[in-house]
Amino acid sequence: MRVMVIDTALGLCTAGIFEVDGRTTPLGVRSVEMAKGHQERLGGLARVAMDDAGGLEGVERIGVTVGPGSFTGLRVGLAFAQGLGAALGRPVVGLSTLDALAASVGDRDVAALIDARRGQVYARFWRAGAAQGPAEALSLETARERLADFGPGATLVGSGATLLDDAAIGAAVLGLAGPAPEALARLTASADPAAAPPRPLYFRAPDATPPSRLPGQARPARS
């Protein structure tokens, strides 16, 4: 299956086209580490990836990260992927950033951890390859308690891994800025489009607040 992947959820801006048929073969991939500005870069990166792959002919499915992650970043990737899917008449599937981070390392015991600020991490845990419940927003203290049973051979992966590198003795710590493009391609090919809609996954409201007055509107008089 030939797939295209889009990721703007975390600290990478990624666009890639892969052939997935037992092996995952990159046909055209561009991935740049960046904290913000995904909207300005995504179109150009996608265009170069498409050129390297010889165009979009044969692409059967598009995968896009849906969160958890940056509120604005998620919207950028989702809008781009859904617009492209509509233009091509191809299904678009949503990919969990935590699942994709775990798939990037492929270990049997994995904790995927994203720094959510405010003393929290977004987290999902796997033991012996089996997910231990859904993705969650956890305090650092609770995350440390959950990691206490992890030991040598386990892997902590993601931007939140370095916040908790003292919680699982002997575990490998990989502070990846975002999921590996190859992992996104494998998840895209194996996803059930009916069960993986391209809808954003948020665990809390955005930090931004609407303005209290319209542009040009006078400030209310003080009482």
Side-chain angles (χ1 to χ4, degrees), residues 50-74:
M50 292 175 199
D51 289 344
D52 290 346
L56 292 172
E57 186 170 351
V59 170
E60 299 176 51
R61 184 180 294 176
I62 299 168
V64 59
T65 45
V66 297
S70 160
F71 185 89
T72 302
L74 292 180

Side-chain angles (χ1 to χ4, degrees), residues 111-123 138-145 147 156-168 172-176 204:
L113 304 160
I114 297 171
D115 184 1
R117 314 293 182 184
R118 302 182 185 177
Q120 288 186 316
V121 290
Y122 302 133
L138 303 175
S139 68
L140 294 180
E141 293 75 14
T142 300
R144 284 193 174 90
E145 293 172 2
L147 289 168
L156 315 186
V157 61
S159 60
T162 53
L163 299 176
L164 298 161
D165 56 1
D166 60 339
V173 177
L174 299 175
L176 299 184
R204 68 185 184 210

